[in-house]
Amino acid sequence: MNGALLRSLTPGVLAVLVRRGADFAAAEDAVQDALVEAVRSWPDDPPRDAKGWLVTVAWRKFLDARRADTARRRREDLVDQEPEPGPAPAADDTLQLYFLCAHPSLTPSSAVALTLRAVGGLTTRQIARAYLVPEATMAQRISRAKRTVSGVRLDRPGDVATVLRVLYLVFNEGYSGDIDLAAEAIRLTRQLAAVIDHPEVAGLLALMLLHHARRAARTAPDGSLVPLAEQDRTQWDTGAITEGVTILQAALARDRLGEFQAQAAIAALHADAPRAEETDWVQIVEWYDELAGLTGSPVVRLNRAVAVGEADGPRAGLAALAELDESLPRHAAVAAYLHERDGDLTAAARLYAEAAHKAPNLAERDYLTRQAARLNARR
């Protein structure tokens, strides 16, 4: 299989689908599905016209997805038009499905992946990105999870920690803008908080509220990303911030710190600053130290490097960054930012361009490309 050939053909195939009327995001998904099919089938049956084959398969994938979406919307419209049959329970069954998919026969990571795919509505690619693993690896993990539960009764709910992890990842996908799931994740977490008195459930709800409060300011009218430091803080939802901080303070008072409470504390410190220049970066670094101790996550340490760069200067941030694997998602973007703050515009421009090439979505890619162009114009 010639990976270089597939990469070279992708832009042309994408352009054909867009000209035929597919929106860009749907066209990207269809082309990715076609590439996966090519990797599977071409070694045994290579086509004579590679681009034509990809266009045909991608267009069929796009039409199948559009028909499925139309059918789903039609079913939803029919449900909305039905009269209420009588008194309904305050909560639906969605949260119960989360618990059932988090089956005790599955490992926590497999349970999370299966629930995200089966109930959360995320694609295998989105789940793989959240887990920092290749899409093929995640596809195998989900398939194994399905096989594991295929012969068991889903009548034993899983643990709260696994469900919290699922809700957290669903919210992150919704918050990224790829798919609108953030409000649904908050709704389900509120339901969970109403029935389970646990500081980490409260911590997750606080974290979601504090992040969601900034959503209106995260993008410009043209859809481009607005970094936290440049956001119009008058657009932040002060009601959601107040609720999130209140919930967090009550959780922290119980002295049973967990990772979601620590993340929420960092978000609260950002929300508490009237201006970006007034952010308490020293305290944020301390919370990242707590979070790194709780999780051991390299992504946490990557974010900590940014905070160290703000608290102690870009050289200190770069020193912290040097301890991390350069293959980490967004490593190049962080390095670019810190090099720019340190005055090395040549390295920063190169790293911004590298980060744009690796960006997980179009909005982030455009933002990083503009940063690289801005610095190249100044040199």
Side-chain angles (χ1 to χ4, degrees), residues 9-346:
L9 292 174
T10 297
V13 176
L14 185 59
V16 171
L17 264 65
V18 171
R19 284 199 301 271
R20 289 186 179 183
D23 65 271
F24 191 84
E28 276 193 318
D29 288 340
V31 172
Q32 288 297 324
D33 290 339
L35 293 175
V36 171
E37 185 68 19
V39 171
R40 187 187 65 80
S41 64
W42 283 13
D44 298 325
D45 185 23
R48 284 179 293 182
D49 179 3
K51 181 178 178 181
W53 187 97
L54 284 171
V55 169
T56 299
V57 173
W59 184 247
R60 187 174 68 245
K61 297 286 187 182
F62 166 72
L63 292 177
D64 288 344
R66 186 167 64 177
R67 280 193 291 266
D69 185 62
T70 300
R72 178 185 60 79
R73 292 178 185 276
R74 187 181 301 115
R75 289 194 301 269
E76 290 175 348
D77 290 340
L78 290 172
V79 170
D80 289 341
Q81 293 167 12
E82 291 181 358
E84 292 290 336
D92 59 26
D93 294 332
T94 307
L95 190 58
Q96 181 65 15
L97 288 175
Y98 274 66
F99 274 94
L100 293 178
C101 283
H103 197 270
S105 64
L106 296 172
T107 63
S109 60
S110 294
V112 171
L114 178 62
T115 314
L116 289 171
R117 188 72 183 92
V119 186
L122 275 64
T123 65
T124 302
R125 183 173 58 199
Q126 288 171 319
I127 302 168
R129 191 172 67 229
Y131 268 91
L132 310 181
V133 299
E135 184 175 350
T137 300
M138 182 53 63
Q140 292 175 353
R141 184 179 301 177
I142 293 172
S143 294
R144 285 196 300 269
K146 289 179 179 178
R147 287 196 300 269
T148 298
V149 300
S150 63
V152 301
R153 288 175 58 84
L154 292 180
D155 55 358
R156 290 188 297 152
D159 68 339
V160 175
T162 300
V163 174
L164 286 179
R165 177 63 50 190
V166 173
L167 290 169
Y168 173 67
L169 292 175
V170 169
F171 176 82
N172 279 349
E173 282 301 328
Y175 193 64
S176 74
D178 291 338
I179 186 169
D180 188 13
L181 291 169
E184 173 68 359
I186 292 174
R187 184 183 72 85
L188 292 173
T189 307
R190 284 191 187 278
Q191 287 188 12
L192 189 59
V195 297
I196 296 180
D197 183 21
H198 192 288
E200 272 294 82
V201 177
L204 178 58
L205 179 56
L207 175 63
M208 289 179 175
L209 290 169
L210 289 164
H211 277 302
H212 205 59
R214 303 199 301 256
R215 189 168 190 178
R218 291 184 72 244
T219 54
D222 62 359
S224 60
L225 288 179
V226 180
L228 177 61
E230 300 172 18
Q231 288 177 13
D232 178 1
R233 301 189 175 211
T234 63
Q235 294 186 41
W236 289 1
D237 185 343
T238 55
I241 291 173
T242 299
E243 182 185 4
V245 169
T246 301
I247 292 171
L248 173 63
Q249 289 174 337
L252 292 175
R254 301 174 66 173
D255 199 23
R256 292 166 56 192
L257 184 64
E259 61 173 296
F260 295 125
Q261 295 169 74
Q263 287 191 59
I266 294 168
L269 286 167
H270 283 297
D272 188 53
R275 299 183 303 141
E277 297 80 7
E278 299 176 54
T279 304
D280 189 345
W281 286 106
V282 172
Q283 196 172 166
I284 287 176
V285 171
E286 293 174 356
W287 276 111
Y288 271 123
D289 288 339
E290 294 277 3
L291 187 57
L294 288 166
T295 67
S297 167
V299 175
V300 170
R301 295 177 63 199
L302 183 69
N303 292 331
R304 178 186 178 275
V306 176
V308 169
E310 298 291 350
D312 301 324
R315 297 279 175 94
L318 287 168
L321 187 65
E323 301 174 2
L324 303 177
D325 188 338
E326 292 185 3
S327 67
L328 274 173
R330 297 186 172 89
H331 184 286
V334 171
Y337 174 74
L338 292 171
H339 275 292
E340 180 182 359
R341 287 203 57 220
D342 195 41
D344 189 348
L345 303 189
T346 300

Side-chain angles (χ1 to χ4, degrees), residues 344-360:
D344 189 348
L345 303 189
T346 300
R350 173 180 57 80
L351 287 163
Y352 274 129
E354 178 185 332
H357 180 69
K358 300 176 180 178

